[in-house]
Amino acid sequence: MIPGNFEYHRPTSLGDAVGLLSTLGDDALLLAGGHSLIPMMKLRMALPEHLVDLQDLEALKLIDVNNGTVSLGAMVTQTELIASDNLHTACPILRETSLQIADPQVRNMGTIGGNVANGDPGNDMPAVMQILDASYTLVGPNGERQVAARDFYDAAYFTARADDEILTAITFAAPAAGHGSAYLKQKRKIGDYATAAAAVILEMSGGTCTAASIGLTNVHDTPLWAEEASGILVGSSLDHATVQQAVAAAKAITDPASDGRGPKEFRTHVAGVMVQRAIASARSRAQ
Ligand code: FAD
């Protein structure tokens, strides 16, 4: 399929990009790696009259790990996330998750900003950002504001970002040293979006879980932070009964569509299995 006609803009500064978005209004869309947007344009599900390409905004391509704070520029690609040893040391779940996104060609172009701003419940990074309690920096004509990843997603493709704002960075506190994490994703084949996926970060001390955060991908029209399920794990030894209780609480907040990935009941079941396995894997990695 061939996309509709559009005018192409390639600003070289953030100010110019914001200015273009403000001037062009609803008729313009931002272009990052293009690996969600271009397929939508080819299907004519997106028909922008203008594309504002962010590729020349070098300031948005930085990975910064400093004093326990991680900052990722929106234009960092998934391949760059995988390659950064500093980032892997601080927060290994990002490499593990990125490696489960599509294939190398997609990861070479697809950006972290596009992945989290897109609003597609199938995107893998939003749930991970929710368990990390990350904050998104949005820059628009009225300046800069921060929105928590946990507050960003309203419905499929609807987010807290205004049309004239650019998501420039993602920031979070690096998880505590010795934490364990895991991203478990069940998919029909390599390169597919999740039937259901679970992200878990936890901390253990003397055999007791002292902190836990659980997230879910593609089992609702938004990513899910399973707050109640996370709380159930804290204070326990992660014994079988407690884990089952947390799995049940996580499943209770899912509401997946019945689609080509399976009926709703199956996808809910898979979500529970992913949560259980991700807890076990995170626990085995925690020190
Ligand atoms: P784009 O496609 O350029 O943009 C996506 C949307 O976000 C657009 O609406 C755009 O306007 C907006 N946007 C982009 N950047 C910003 C910004 N900085 N600020 C505000 N808005 C912005 N993803 C997964 O997570 N898991 C998968 O399993 C997966 N499988 C895939 C398989 C295939 C075959 C393909 C083609 C893609 C797949 N993807 C998957 C999607 C891929 O990860 C995309 O690259 C990613 O979702 C979007 O990033 P992008 O940089 O390509 O954004």
Side-chain angles (χ1 to χ4, degrees):
M1 291 278 287
I2 298 169
N5 290 332
F6 56 87
E7 241 182 89
Y8 178 77
H9 308 263
R10 194 156 172 146
T12 51
S13 73
L14 183 58
D16 286 352
V18 171
L20 274 167
L21 270 193
S22 305
T23 315
L24 300 170
D26 291 352
D27 295 333
L29 282 181
L30 293 169
L31 177 69
H35 274 60
S36 287
L37 182 55
I38 304 288
M40 296 283 269
M41 289 171 63
K42 287 182 171 178
L43 293 168
R44 305 274 174 138
M45 290 167 75
L47 284 164
E49 289 179 20
H50 300 268
L51 283 186
V52 178
D53 192 343
L54 301 177
Q55 281 297 337
D56 282 346
L57 304 191
E58 296 299 325
L60 271 54
K61 296 183 178 175
L62 301 177
I63 296 175
D64 188 44
V65 182
N66 198 0
N67 278 334
T69 300
V70 178
S71 178
L72 308 173
M75 290 300 288
V76 171
T77 65
Q78 289 147 9
T79 295
E80 287 162 347
L81 290 180
I82 292 165
S84 170
D85 290 331
N86 264 353
L87 183 61
H88 181 61
T89 304
C91 189
I93 196 171
L94 292 184
R95 180 180 287 172
E96 185 176 32
T97 306
S98 301
L99 281 167
Q100 295 180 68
I101 293 176
D103 50 48
Q105 287 92 335
V106 172
R107 298 197 291 261
N108 284 342
M109 291 302 294
T111 65
I112 182 69
N115 198 290
V116 301
N118 193 24
D120 181 343
N123 282 142
D124 288 292
M125 284 297 181
V128 174
M129 294 307 157
Q130 291 190 333
I131 65 164
L132 290 165
D133 198 12
S135 177
Y136 299 161
T137 305
L138 299 172
V139 177
N142 300 321
E144 181 179 306
R145 67 188 178 110
Q146 300 291 324
V147 178
R150 292 174 186 171
D151 298 330
F152 187 72
Y153 301 95
D154 295 331
Y157 298 103
F158 287 91
T159 69
R161 184 182 76 87
D163 288 344
D164 58 2
E165 288 180 311
I166 299 177
L167 191 155
T168 56
I170 298 156
T171 310
F172 55 88
H179 77 278
S181 64
Y183 191 73
L184 265 285
K185 174 174 174 180
Q186 207 273 352
K187 49 193 186 292
R188 295 172 298 183
K189 58 182 171 60
I190 293 293
D192 194 15
Y193 290 89
T195 301
V200 170
I201 289 193
L202 49 82
E203 293 167 37
M204 300 294 293
S205 176
T208 300
C209 175
T210 53
S213 198
I214 300 172
L216 293 150
T217 297
N218 219 14
V219 284
H220 203 284
D221 65 354
T222 63
L224 296 172
W225 179 52
E227 184 175 11
E228 188 188 336
S230 307
I232 288 170
L233 297 181
V234 178
S236 80
S237 61
L238 300 184
D239 55 281
H240 181 72
T242 305
V243 170
Q244 289 311 309
Q245 210 187 328
V247 166
K251 284 168 70 174
I253 61 169
T254 68
D255 187 18
S258 293
D259 62 15
R261 293 184 175 82
K264 176 185 167 95
E265 296 74 17
F266 171 71
R267 297 183 62 191
T268 300
H269 171 73
V270 174
V273 174
M274 293 300 103
V275 170
Q276 185 172 346
R277 290 184 187 172
I279 292 170
S281 183
R283 181 190 188 176
S284 73
R285 294 167 176 176
Q287 290 154 20

